[in-house]
Amino acid sequence: MRRDQRPYFIRRIQDGLNKFYVNRFIAPAFDALGTHPDITSPRNVEIWGGGISAGANLHLHASKGNMVRLATWRSGDREGRIEIGDHVLISPGTHIVASERIVIGSNTMIASGCYISDSDWHDTYDRTAELEKHRPIHIGENVWLGVRVIVGKGVTIGENSIVGAGSVVVSDIPPNCIAAGNPARVVRELDMSREFRKRSALFADPDRLERDMDNLMRYILRENTLLSWLRSVFSPTRSD
């Protein structure tokens, strides 16, 4: 498809069904979920295990063929925890799996296909057990993980830092820098004389934001009709 062919009222119906699905099946899977979550393609989201919480304005975007998975593992008396701050973006194909504890700071952006795990899941020599191959992960506020970044056990990534696409993070990344590579290393310091504009700025007035997005959607879809949408579904052409 070259563009969204749905008429506005069909888009509204589908959005309403998605919200119902989120409220009925996704939100109860969290221990706590803040206000105004935005979860796209919720049938491609899996929340598994206890101890998972997220703050306000969580943007959790899955897509067909790119499931988002948040999962915790129980081992004896220990249950993993995933703690996500406010205004966090999690993109399609990302998996976050905790045996102990993973903390993701507010305003963090996680691009598509990232993998974050605080455990190796198997010991080096005893391949049948995890043993002590787990250590917590802490991702600071306003961090940006590029596409397909892997974050391993015991890592701390400092606030404001950026990790380049495809990097493998196996040791701490300090705050206010850009890191890249396998293993990821600091390649540049950020200019701290410049002011950061964080994702929280988008949500200063969430009700107004929702109205503005609805008006934009209404404008973009204004020329679409039910008949043209049905034709594009059942008999698409190059113009669709």
Side-chain angles (χ1 to χ4, degrees):
M1 302 296 287
R2 298 172 188 264
R3 66 182 184 90
D4 192 343
Q5 298 282 359
R6 293 172 293 180
Y8 172 76
F9 81 93
I10 292 292
R11 173 69 183 267
R12 290 288 294 175
I13 290 171
Q14 291 176 334
D15 286 348
L17 291 173
N18 275 348
K19 287 182 179 179
F20 171 81
Y21 187 92
V22 167
N23 290 333
R24 181 66 179 84
F25 299 106
I26 302 296
F30 286 85
D31 279 15
L33 179 62
T35 58
H36 299 97
D38 183 355
I39 301 176
T40 58
S41 193
R43 291 165 184 77
N44 291 291
V45 172
E46 182 181 63
I47 313 296
W48 176 264
I52 302 174
S53 63
N57 303 308
L58 172 67
H59 277 199
L60 200 165
H61 297 321
S63 64
K64 188 175 181 181
N66 283 285
M67 173 178 281
V68 169
R69 189 168 195 254
L70 309 180
T72 59
W73 178 263
R74 178 181 290 276
S75 179
D77 295 332
R78 188 187 76 250
E79 182 174 50
R81 287 181 293 160
I82 299 173
E83 302 167 22
I84 301 169
D86 298 328
H87 324 304
V88 169
L89 168 66
I90 299 175
S91 301
T94 290
H95 291 198
I96 303 172
V97 190
S99 172
E100 188 168 333
R101 187 184 185 209
I102 297 174
V103 178
I104 298 172
S106 295
N107 297 294
T108 286
M109 302 190 302
I110 301 175
S112 298
C114 291
Y115 180 75
I116 303 170
S117 173
D118 63 2
S119 175
D120 291 343
W121 303 107
H122 302 279
D123 180 67
T124 302
Y125 297 100
D126 183 353
R127 305 296 172 86
T128 68
E130 179 188 29
L131 300 182
E132 300 304 316
K133 296 290 187 174
H134 56 86
R135 294 197 304 275
I137 291 171
H138 189 280
I139 298 174
E141 285 201 25
N142 201 40
V143 167
W144 178 7
L145 302 183
V147 172
R148 298 193 184 282
V149 165
I150 297 173
V151 180
K153 67 181 187 298
V155 163
T156 294
I157 300 176
E159 64 179 359
N160 302 319
S161 287
I162 300 169
V163 181
S167 298
V168 179
V169 186
V170 293
S171 59
D172 292 352
I173 302 297
N176 308 312
C177 71
I178 299 174
N182 180 6
R185 304 182 189 280
V186 174
V187 296
R188 182 157 66 88
E189 303 291 335
L190 297 179
D191 181 358
M192 297 310 296
S193 68
R194 299 187 61 177
E195 183 179 359
F196 290 101
R197 187 166 189 260
K198 300 179 180 180
R199 284 180 55 80
S200 55
L202 296 171
F203 308 106
D205 186 345
D207 293 328
R208 179 179 178 181
L209 176 64
E210 186 172 350
R211 289 194 303 271
D212 288 347
M213 295 303 294
D214 183 68
N215 287 334
L216 177 62
M217 178 174 65
R218 188 191 297 269
Y219 175 78
I220 291 173
L221 304 180
R222 68 192 184 282
E223 296 180 354
N224 293 355
T225 66
L226 179 61
L227 287 178
S228 64
W229 172 62
L230 290 173
R231 180 196 51 73
S232 72
V233 171
F234 295 105
S235 183
T237 65
R238 288 190 176 88
S239 64
D240 294 320

